[in-house]
Amino acid sequence: MRFLFVILSFQFLMPGNCWSQETYRETIRGVNEEIASFPGGREGMNEWLSANMCYPQEAIDYGIKGKCYVSFMIEPDGSVANVKVIKRVPDCPECDFEAKYTISSMPKWNPQKLDGNAVKSYWTIPINFGIN
């Protein structure tokens, strides 16, 4: 137990986790903020994902189902960048690849705005793979 505590303590001391006052202000949601949104909202995104994501044939053949989580950034111009699978579908790298590829090909979003200025925002969404 003591060993685990030490590892976690050092994680918070790493340079990537340091916060300046300016960075801290940028992460707090302000009164004059608009959250980034997919054109058509959540329903539009679900429809777009359903129409554009292909269930990998190998997953169908072996009956693989599961959920992966994909994180990405919305740039100030609304484009999708830095797409990463942060939790994978067990035994299905093809599912992970398809989720990453599909999210990477999304159309431009309406970017997040803070005090009227477009800013970067970070998103994580679950992608479910299963046959109904």
Side-chain angles (χ1 to χ4, degrees), residues 74-122:
I74 303 299
E75 295 282 359
D77 68 354
S79 61
V80 176
N82 296 340
V83 180
K84 297 176 186 169
V85 176
I86 57 173
K87 184 178 179 199
R88 303 183 182 286
V89 175
D91 301 321
C92 190
E94 297 83 9
C95 293
D96 301 331
F97 175 81
E98 182 61 28
K100 184 176 178 180
Y101 174 79
T102 304
I103 297 299
S104 296
S105 63
M106 280 183 152
K108 286 190 175 187
W109 286 43
N110 302 314
Q112 181 167 330
K113 293 188 178 178
L114 182 61
D115 295 326
N117 299 316
V119 295
K120 294 178 183 178
S121 60
Y122 298 90

Side-chain angles (χ1 to χ4, degrees), residues 6-27:
V6 171
I7 292 173
L8 293 174
S9 298
F10 284 117
Q11 179 183 6
F12 294 111
L13 297 176
M14 296 173 65
N17 293 327
C18 294
W19 291 78
S20 67
Q21 190 171 13
E22 181 179 61
T23 304
Y24 180 73
R25 277 193 213 123
E26 290 176 5
T27 61

Side-chain angles (χ1 to χ4, degrees), residues 38-50 106 109 125:
F38 187 85
R42 188 175 293 190
E43 288 180 21
M45 181 169 59
N46 289 337
E47 289 174 15
W48 189 90
L49 288 171
S50 295
M106 280 183 152
W109 286 43
I125 61 171

